[in-house]
């Protein structure tokens, strides 16, 4: 334990562990060894002391009386929630005895780990866990639920997750928030945009819903779901047609600009307007703003990639800054993600060399189908840093899979989550403030160190501790499964292949808490694409069977239902995190369905009434929020509600588990539904 954990009273440094681009520096106030207040660290160059409500109230989550304190074993039916306390020794013995028996009878591929980034600490999410399951030879999970499609699409254009330094965006004169509710999910980009605004910048938001960001922007442009690539191509049409492109930049730093110039002639504004729902006059206005304002900056959000055409959509939008040469002006360009700048030594941390022979890979978006249909079947599931019963698509399938009596399930979490209700063994997890780990933003350019600031809650243990125990009980003798937290961090940061991490060491992080990577502007320079340039035409895509030029493909939901359904994030939860905590539920109030007034009127639905939202996959009940914040034919919910509040509001009961056009990504936002009035309570 660090000195911070031993310190009973005072203020100690920390970092936010949430799966959020901002990754804030924190100050933890303690009294009598307990956290009494959490505030932002004003010394952090990017987050500058500002934090969101989720983190401000984090102590309520850490000390929530519903938090797990000791291991449990199931004594009732799956899903019933009946458990009794057991010791760690019994828990580990039960797990490993069952696994040894399964491996002997069916092979290690009968076992599947399921995790994501509920905690962004790197050694806790991709360290000993990956080493352990590689050594075991278990089935491998494909981590595709979040940004896989968009990252692959962006990489076809730019080569890697590399974009503008967010600290430079204060110099932008035009900021376009495209498919991102930044007020709720990237608040410090909003703070930087506010600084730019004071210097005369304009902010445009393009989204399917006039959410907090749409209301904050100078101009909100509503768009039909999955049509963003068409809008981007329409903008390109005008930029080329009206000579608002930087010919010198296109010649020096791109390939395929002549082919693109011809290609986008087919995307005239009237045609694009019919596709997107954006008036042709607005398409002209936006194109001229973008073409005539410098520097211009695009913040590309996660939402647009969660469609059947999501990878190509992001790839298309990523081409826009090349047309205007925005990359050459400080503050111009785009950010989809910046994780490429802080790439660590993943092979040294995860040790894939411990895998003796290739094993099957299972897309996490298809976990329901995998549990029900895979042959040979999954016979054991180990869940950590995730809650698939709520966060995975096609939740009905997931629930039926978790109900299997022959599926031995272990869940390691802070709470008795919806997934844990189906577990045979439940293990109590530490929070990030009880662990040592390193963190790196996928938006700004800083690496952080977290040392424990409080003692573990009850008998809770970190992921790293648990996998050391499991490795010992399994009889795995490799030194790689016994290494200390410090050794894991040093191995991850020792990465000469990424010179930007030069000088970012455990020792320096211990002294300074956060360190900025050595990042230079992308241009002039060479990108990690095959050509070394921005690939407006991608031969690599052509070889894989994709259109080599940016292209719009309509969505392809099979059901002929009247509404496109977008289950977006809300302000006070992060996926299902915080949805189990009473304070955050009270702040968010109630799960709503935003719909256009004309649609509501046609269905006899009045604002505030309860409605049933359904399709062939399932149904849920939400409260109608009627207005003009979405286009006709579109309905939007916000948040993954869990616990009692989410009992009938499980929006992932409706979402498809198809995979996107690229990267095996999720298609949460490409489902259709019908909506019917249930009325007010007592009707």
């Amino acid at each position: 334990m660090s000195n911070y954990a031993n310190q009973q009273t005072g203020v100690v440094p920390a970092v936010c562990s949430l799966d959020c681009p901002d990754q804030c520096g924190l100050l933890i106030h303690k009294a009598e060894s307990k956290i009494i207040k959490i505030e932002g660290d004003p010394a952090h160059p990017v987050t500058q002391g500002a934090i969101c409500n989720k983190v401000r109230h984090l102590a309520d989550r850490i000390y929530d009386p519903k938090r797990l304190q000791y291991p449990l074993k199931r004594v009732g039916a799956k899903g019933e929630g009946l458990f009794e306390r057991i010791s760690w020794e019994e828990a580990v013995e039960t797990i490993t005895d069952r696994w040894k028996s399964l491996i002997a009878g069916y092979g290690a591929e009968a076992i599947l780990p399921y995790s994501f980034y509920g905690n962004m600490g790197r050694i806790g999410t991709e360290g000993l866990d990956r080493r352990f399951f590689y050594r075991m030879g278990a089935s491998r999970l494909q981590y595709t639920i979040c940004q896989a499609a968009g990252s692959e699409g962006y990489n076809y254009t730019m080569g890697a997750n590399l974009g503008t330094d967010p600290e430079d965006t204060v110099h932008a004169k035009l900021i376009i928030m495209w498919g991102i509710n930044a007020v709720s999910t990237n608040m410090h980009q909003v703070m930087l945009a506010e600084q730019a605004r004071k210097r005369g910048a304009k902010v445009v938001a393009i989204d399917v819903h006039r959410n907090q960001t749409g209301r904050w922007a100078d101009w909100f442009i509503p768009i039909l779901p999955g049509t963003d690539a068409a809008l981007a191509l329409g903008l390109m049409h005008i930029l080329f047609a009206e000579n608002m492109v930087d010919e010198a930049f296109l010649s020096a730093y791109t390939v395929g600009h002549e082919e693109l110039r011809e290609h986008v002639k087919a995307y005239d504004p009237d045609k694009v307007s019919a596709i997107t729902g954006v008036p042709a006059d607005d398409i002209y206005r936006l194109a001229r703003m973008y073409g005539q304002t410098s520097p211009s900056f695009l913040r590309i959000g996660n939402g647009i990639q969660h469609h059947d055409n999501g990878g190509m959509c992001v790839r298309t939008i990523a081409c826009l800054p090349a047309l205007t040469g925005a990359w050459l002006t400080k503050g111009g360009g785009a950010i989809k993600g910046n994780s490429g700048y802080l790439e660590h030594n993943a092979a040294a941390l995860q040790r894939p060399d411990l895998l003796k022979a290739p094993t099957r890979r299972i897309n996490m978006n298809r976990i329901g189908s995998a549990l029900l249909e895979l042959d040979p079947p999954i016979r054991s599931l180990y869940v950590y840093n995730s809650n698939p019963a709520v966060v995975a698509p096609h939740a009905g399938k997931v629930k039926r899979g978790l109900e299997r009596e022959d599926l031995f399930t272990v869940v390691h979490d802070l709470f008795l989550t919806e997934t844990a209700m189906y577990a045979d063994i439940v293990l109590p997890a530490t929070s990030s403030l009880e662990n040592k780990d390193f963190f790196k933003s996928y938006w700004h350019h800083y690496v952080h160190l977290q040392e424990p600031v409080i003692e573990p809650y009850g008998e809770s243990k970190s992921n790293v501790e648990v996998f050391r125990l499991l490795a010992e009980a399994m009889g795995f003798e490799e030194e790689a499964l016994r290494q200390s937290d410090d050794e894991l961090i040093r191995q991850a940061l020792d990465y000469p292949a990424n010179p930007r991490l030069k000088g970012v060491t455990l020792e320096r992080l211990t002294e300074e808490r956060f360190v900025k990577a050595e990042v230079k502007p992308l241009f002039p320079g060479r990108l990690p694409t095959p050509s070394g340039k921005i690939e407006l035409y991608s031969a690599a895509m052509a070889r894989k069977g994709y259109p080599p030029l940016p292209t719009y493909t309509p969505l392809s939901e099979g059901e002929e239902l009247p509404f496109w359904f977008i289950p977006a994030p809300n302000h006070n939860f992060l996926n299902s995190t915080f949805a189990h905590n009473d304070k955050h539920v009270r702040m968010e109030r109630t799960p709503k369905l935003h719909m256009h007034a004309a649609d509501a009127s046609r269905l006899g639905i009045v604002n505030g009434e309860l409605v049933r939202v359904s399709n062939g996959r399932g149904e849920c009940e939400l409260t109608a929020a009627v207005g003009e914040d979405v286009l006709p034919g579109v309905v939007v919910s916000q948040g993954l509600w869990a616990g009692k509040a989410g009992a009938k509001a499980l929006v992932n009961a409706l979402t498809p588990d198809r995979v996107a056009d690229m990267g095996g990504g999720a298609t949460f936002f490409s489902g259709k539904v019908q909506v019917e009035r249930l009325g007010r309570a007592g009707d």
Side-chain angles (χ1 to χ4, degrees), residues 74 76-79 98 379 400-409 424:
R74 178 171 61 88
K78 288 200 172 190
R98 187 65 173 271
R379 300 178 184 273
R400 293 194 297 275
L402 292 172
E403 286 174 336
R404 280 176 42 203
E405 280 297 331
D406 65 335
L407 179 71
F408 177 66
T409 301
D424 298 281

Side-chain angles (χ1 to χ4, degrees), residues 250 253-259 531 533-538:
L250 289 171
Y253 297 113
T254 75
V255 294
H257 58 95
E258 293 299 344
E259 294 93 329
S531 65
K533 300 181 178 183
I534 299 174
E535 299 209 342
L536 306 175
Y537 179 100
S538 170

Side-chain angles (χ1 to χ4, degrees), residues 257-558:
H257 58 95
E258 293 299 344
E259 294 93 329
L260 182 64
R261 190 187 309 263
E262 290 300 312
H263 178 67
V264 299
K265 288 179 179 178
Y267 292 90
D268 65 87
D270 288 332
K271 176 181 178 180
V272 169
S273 177
I275 293 169
T276 63
V278 180
D281 287 348
D282 285 350
I283 299 171
Y284 276 108
R285 179 186 170 197
L286 180 60
R288 288 164 183 162
M289 284 180 70
Y290 190 71
Q292 296 169 6
T293 307
S294 180
S296 59
F297 167 66
L298 294 172
R299 180 66 174 100
I300 306 171
N302 265 2
I304 49 181
Q305 71 188 328
H306 287 156
H307 285 294
D308 294 297
N309 59 12
M312 181 62 88
C313 178
V314 172
R315 181 268 197 281
T316 302
I317 296 170
C319 293
L320 279 166
L323 270 64
T324 61
W327 289 109
L328 287 179
T329 308
K330 190 172 186 177
I335 297 176
K336 159 64 174 70
N338 275 331
S339 59
Y341 291 118
L342 301 181
E343 185 180 359
H344 63 276
N345 195 336
L349 181 58
Q350 299 178 18
R351 294 293 302 274
D353 58 293
L354 293 171
L355 183 65
K356 295 181 175 63
T359 55
R360 64 183 175 181
R361 303 188 70 189
I362 296 170
N363 188 314
M364 66 189 306
N365 295 309
R366 301 277 295 159
I367 184 61
S369 295
L371 291 175
L372 293 175
E373 302 163 11
L374 206 61
D375 186 23
I378 297 166
R379 300 178 184 273
S380 179
L381 189 68
Y382 185 96
V383 180
Y384 59 107
N385 285 350
S386 188
N387 183 13
V390 172
V391 305
H394 209 324
K397 273 188 178 180
V398 179
K399 178 177 180 290
R400 293 194 297 275
L402 292 172
E403 286 174 336
R404 280 176 42 203
E405 280 297 331
D406 65 335
L407 179 71
F408 177 66
T409 301
V410 182
V411 174
H412 185 201
D413 209 307
L414 280 75
F415 294 91
L416 195 63
T417 64
E418 288 73 12
T419 306
M421 293 286 282
Y422 296 92
D424 298 281
I425 299 291
V426 180
L427 305 175
T430 49
S431 73
S432 65
L433 298 182
E434 298 153 47
N435 301 334
K436 185 166 191 174
D437 214 326
F438 82 99
F439 293 77
K440 52 178 198 158
S441 172
Y442 50 86
W443 170 65
H444 62 63
H445 297 158
Y446 289 82
V447 180
H448 305 75
L449 181 70
Q450 173 69 61
E451 295 193 65
V453 300
I454 54 174
E455 299 285 344
Y457 187 79
E459 296 180 10
S460 61
K461 296 182 185 297
S462 70
N463 290 333
V464 178
E465 290 179 281
V466 172
F467 283 109
R468 288 193 191 106
L469 290 174
L470 293 173
E472 182 179 5
M474 289 294 293
F476 297 164
E477 298 180 350
E478 287 79 1
E479 173 63 23
L481 297 171
R482 296 194 295 268
Q483 290 177 332
S484 69
D485 295 355
D486 283 1
E487 288 175 301
L488 294 172
I489 294 171
R490 285 195 177 94
Q491 290 163 13
L493 293 176
D494 183 9
Y495 196 38
N498 181 10
R500 304 178 189 93
L501 281 188
K502 182 181 180 182
V504 182
T505 63
L506 175 59
E507 289 70 25
R508 188 176 171 194
L509 286 169
T510 302
E511 181 178 348
E512 300 179 30
R513 317 311 310 167
F514 46 81
V515 177
K516 187 174 186 178
E518 296 181 6
V519 176
K520 299 177 182 178
L522 292 176
F523 301 97
R526 182 179 176 85
L527 294 180
T529 57
S531 65
K533 300 181 178 183
I534 299 174
E535 299 209 342
L536 306 175
Y537 179 100
S538 170
M541 295 184 75
R543 287 193 295 272
K544 290 188 177 182
Y546 297 116
L549 290 164
T551 303
Y552 165 67
T553 304
L555 299 183
S556 56
E557 172 75 334

Side-chain angles (χ1 to χ4, degrees), residues 12-82:
V12 296
V15 57
C16 177
S17 68
L18 298 178
D19 186 0
C20 167
D22 297 50
Q23 201 153 92
C24 300
L26 305 177
L27 295 177
I28 309 296
H29 295 249
K30 295 178 63 179
E32 298 180 353
S33 299
K34 289 191 68 175
I35 298 171
I36 58 170
K37 180 182 177 181
I38 299 176
E39 63 180 355
D41 184 353
H44 195 284
V46 179
T47 60
Q48 298 183 355
I51 57 173
C52 68
N53 274 338
K54 294 185 279 287
V55 182
R56 185 173 291 108
H57 300 301
L58 186 61
D60 293 311
R61 174 176 166 82
I62 290 173
Y63 299 123
D64 191 312
K66 298 190 294 292
R67 186 172 167 191
L68 297 170
Q69 296 192 57
Y70 37 76
L72 304 170
K73 72 174 179 180
R74 178 171 61 88
V75 294
K78 288 200 172 190
E80 190 176 2
L82 293 179

Side-chain angles (χ1 to χ4, degrees), residues 519-630:
V519 176
K520 299 177 182 178
L522 292 176
F523 301 97
R526 182 179 176 85
L527 294 180
T529 57
S531 65
K533 300 181 178 183
I534 299 174
E535 299 209 342
L536 306 175
Y537 179 100
S538 170
M541 295 184 75
R543 287 193 295 272
K544 290 188 177 182
Y546 297 116
L549 290 164
T551 303
Y552 165 67
T553 304
L555 299 183
S556 56
E557 172 75 334
E559 289 191 275
E560 292 298 325
L561 296 175
F563 296 101
W564 289 107
F565 175 56
I566 310 296
N570 67 19
H571 197 70
N572 292 295
F573 307 163
L574 202 164
N575 296 321
S576 69
T577 303
F578 300 103
H580 296 93
N581 305 112
D582 295 339
K583 177 173 283 189
H584 292 269
V585 171
R586 287 195 300 271
M587 289 190 292
E588 198 60 37
R589 297 184 180 177
T590 187
K592 297 179 180 179
L593 185 76
H594 297 270
M595 62 188 311
H596 194 275
D599 290 328
S601 176
R602 176 172 51 81
L603 296 172
I605 294 170
V606 177
N607 186 59
E609 287 188 323
L610 202 62
V611 296
R612 178 185 291 116
V613 191
S614 62
N615 59 21
R617 290 179 285 270
E619 65 178 49
C620 66
E621 296 179 6
L622 304 169
T623 299
V626 177
E628 296 188 354
D629 289 340
V630 297

